[in-house]
Amino acid sequence: MLIRTLRLLACILSMALSYGPGVKLHSQQTSESQAKPPALKDVQIQTPFVVREIKGTIHSVEQAPLQGAAFWIRLENGVEEGATTDRDGSFKLAAPRDPLGALVHPRLHQIIHDSAVSPGTYRFKATKDGFHSTVGTVVVSDTARKESLIEIQLQPGYQEKRETRHPQRELNPRDALAGLKANAGNRKLHQYRHSDVDMPVSLILGTVQTPEFSVTSEWYDIIVQAEKPLPFLQMQCMMGVTSGPLESNHCSSNDPLLQADWTVWDGEQLVGNGSIPDSCACAFENKYIYKSLGSFAGQAGKKYIVQVRFTKDGTPLNVANPHLIVIQHRNFW
């Protein structure tokens, strides 16, 4: 009887010792989860910056300068101009306004190219990988104080990585075999957006592929364009272009229907890949809704192919005549 009792006590002690570290580990995991920064989003600055010229600094919450952060403004003609911060986190933007270039007069070209941005009100966006974007308004005025600067603090965040394995190029994408009409490089066929690729697609499960197209050293966006044959709120839900919980309250549990992963290829070499963002990443016009799937950097002299794999059956959206578009970032946003 004594031996049996001792064995029982030893068993209970062993269970307690193994259980204790487990509880501690669970507590540690919960703490790390709570400490993880929120998912990436746009942070709005309500008060406009009033400056004489567009220059300033971008830093972290610890007041450390952020090198390589991007600052963009949208000009009146819709073109975006940007600058990148140096090692001190500072930037200065001068918008080129010389349509004739340096061919007519090199010195005059340099003066015009380096001239300050014209007085006016501009929307801006500051971004850096691993941080929330910051958006707001900047007013350029000749009456602003000379020492006025744009000072932006970027909050840390994270972006979920859905693709954990190295993506493979699909050899037989369905729309490449189906012979769907597509154009690459002929921007006259899509004059308004000046796109590099514009092709109709079906949003059925499977992979579509663009024709090969030439690129320059620019950022490119991969976008799905859709018309609006259905009620606007329904289209918002189906395409995943709601801007927040209030707009998504009326969506069904099956929304959004537009779900996709994408890859960009230079021959057999992977140039970039990603997944459709959960955020709006969208634009609206009278006739069209645009949803951005992602973006990539082009390298001058290269020829790329984009493959998009639709991971959810989006055939109810085919009534919206969806098009897959690849376009230089500055020509669209």
Side-chain angles (χ1 to χ4, degrees), residues 48-69:
F49 291 102
V50 181
V51 295
R52 283 202 176 189
E53 56 180 334
I54 295 184
K55 63 180 181 179
T57 60
I58 300 178
H59 54 81
S60 66
V61 292
E62 295 85 8
Q63 300 300 312
L66 293 177
Q67 182 177 6

Side-chain angles (χ1 to χ4, degrees), residues 26-313:
H26 178 74
S27 174
Q28 180 181 358
Q29 289 176 337
T30 303
S31 173
E32 289 176 355
S33 175
Q34 291 174 345
K36 184 167 64 174
L40 298 179
K41 62 181 181 180
D42 285 347
V43 177
Q44 175 78 40
I45 296 180
Q46 300 296 337
T47 305
F49 291 102
V50 181
V51 295
R52 283 202 176 189
E53 56 180 334
I54 295 184
K55 63 180 181 179
T57 60
I58 300 178
H59 54 81
S60 66
V61 292
E62 295 85 8
Q63 300 300 312
L66 293 177
Q67 182 177 6
F71 182 91
W72 294 84
I73 66 167
R74 180 173 295 175
L75 303 178
E76 294 179 356
N77 59 5
V79 174
E80 291 192 348
E81 295 290 345
T84 304
T85 55
D86 58 22
R87 60 191 304 175
D88 298 325
S90 60
F91 66 91
K92 180 177 180 180
L93 191 150
R97 297 190 303 277
D98 180 10
L100 298 180
L103 297 177
V104 176
H105 196 298
R107 177 56 185 159
L108 180 61
H109 167 78
Q110 184 66 32
I111 294 174
I112 296 177
H113 183 85
D114 291 338
S115 61
V117 176
S118 301
T121 301
Y122 305 92
R123 291 292 295 171
F124 75 80
K125 186 171 187 176
T127 63
K128 183 174 174 59
D129 289 344
F131 292 84
H132 298 288
S133 299
T134 295
V135 296
T137 303
V138 57
V139 178
V140 179
S141 172
D142 293 333
T143 61
R145 294 182 304 170
K146 291 183 178 180
E147 64 274 15
S148 56
L149 295 172
I150 301 170
E151 296 186 55
I152 297 174
Q153 181 186 88
L154 295 185
Q155 304 289 329
Y158 78 98
Q159 187 167 9
E160 296 287 357
K161 294 184 178 179
R162 304 179 186 177
E163 184 69 65
T164 57
R165 60 181 177 84
H166 186 78
Q168 300 294 316
R169 180 170 175 179
E170 296 191 36
L171 299 179
N172 297 308
R174 56 178 175 81
D175 281 6
L177 300 178
L180 289 178
K181 179 182 177 183
N183 70 79
N186 189 350
R187 297 182 177 180
K188 293 182 179 180
L189 298 180
H190 199 53
Q191 296 181 30
Y192 181 68
R193 282 299 180 191
H194 305 292
S195 62
D196 291 83
V197 173
D198 177 13
M199 57 184 288
V201 293
S202 170
L203 302 183
I204 191 174
L205 280 167
T207 300
V208 300
Q209 175 175 298
T210 70
E212 188 178 62
F213 59 98
S214 300
V215 297
T216 59
S217 297
E218 296 274 357
W219 274 98
Y220 289 79
D221 291 308
I222 306 169
I223 297 170
V224 169
Q225 168 194 287
E227 298 173 1
K228 295 183 283 188
L230 303 174
F232 180 70
L233 294 180
Q234 184 180 354
M235 289 292 299
Q236 274 190 297
C237 293
M238 295 168 75
M239 293 191 65
V241 293
T242 54
S243 60
L246 293 178
E247 289 189 357
S248 59
N249 280 341
H250 57 272
C251 299
S252 73
S253 59
N254 194 39
D255 292 323
L257 292 182
L258 182 58
Q259 295 287 346
D261 300 325
W262 57 269
T263 52
V264 181
W265 300 91
D266 172 17
E268 298 302 318
Q269 181 180 355
L270 179 66
V271 174
N273 68 289
S275 299
I276 190 170
D278 294 326
S279 60
C280 182
C282 56
F284 302 88
E285 293 179 345
N286 291 335
K287 186 177 180 180
Y288 298 115
I289 297 176
Y290 300 91
K291 173 71 175 186
S292 174
L293 306 187
S295 59
F296 62 93
Q299 185 177 345
K302 298 287 188 178
K303 291 186 176 181
Y304 293 164
I305 285 175
V306 173
Q307 287 190 342
V308 176
R309 179 166 59 91
F310 296 109
T311 57
K312 189 173 183 177
D313 184 10

